[in-house]
Amino acid sequence: MAWVEPIARVLEGAGVMIMVIGAIISTGVFAVAALRDRQFEQVYTRYRANLGRAILLGLEFLIAGDIIATILVEPTLQSVGSLGLIVLIRTFLSFSLEAEIEGHLPWRRHEKGTS
């Protein structure tokens, strides 16, 4: 099982890199669009959505890395509780970001077209 720990670290590193690179690219696109379009509100809304998507994708990789890392240790009540808390917090962040990006809660997706 020694090969599993590097996989967990790679996933966690990938999650961080996705968020950092996503933030840099989103900010660059925002800066260019803000200077060119001069429609700040629309450009800013797109910027927040792009940044949120990068964070969401990075969080998914971090959660996968945490799950794999927890498998490595002897499962104790404390390690499983820590993992559960981490996943709960990151899941809440994911739902919050998705609601912010999409403009509605994920389970209300079907209602958007009907209202």
Side-chain angles (χ1 to χ4, degrees):
M1 290 289 263
W3 56 272
V4 178
E5 185 173 358
I7 292 172
R9 300 296 161 237
V10 166
L11 286 172
E12 290 173 344
V16 171
M17 290 305 295
I18 287 168
M19 286 190 270
V20 169
I21 291 169
I24 291 168
I25 291 171
S26 296
T27 302
V29 169
F30 168 71
V32 169
L35 291 173
R36 185 187 47 178
D37 292 343
R38 308 230 190 262
Q39 297 175 358
F40 185 77
E41 193 170 319
Q42 289 177 344
V43 172
Y44 179 69
T45 301
R46 282 195 315 255
Y47 173 55
R48 288 186 60 184
N50 290 336
L51 187 58
R53 286 183 188 100
I55 293 169
L56 277 172
L57 184 58
L59 282 173
E60 296 299 330
F61 276 83
L62 288 171
I63 290 171
D66 285 338
I67 291 170
I68 291 171
T70 301
I71 293 170
L72 294 174
V73 297
E74 183 67 31
T76 64
L77 188 57
Q78 183 177 2
S79 67
V80 172
S82 295
L83 174 64
L85 186 59
I86 289 168
V87 170
L88 183 67
I89 291 168
R90 290 186 178 163
T91 301
F92 173 75
L93 287 172
S94 294
F95 275 120
S96 299
L97 284 169
E98 188 171 339
E100 182 75 24
I101 291 167
E102 299 294 328
H104 54 82
L105 296 172
W107 53 86
R108 296 205 169 185
R109 201 171 279 146
H110 67 281
E111 294 176 9
K112 186 171 182 168
T114 60
S115 53

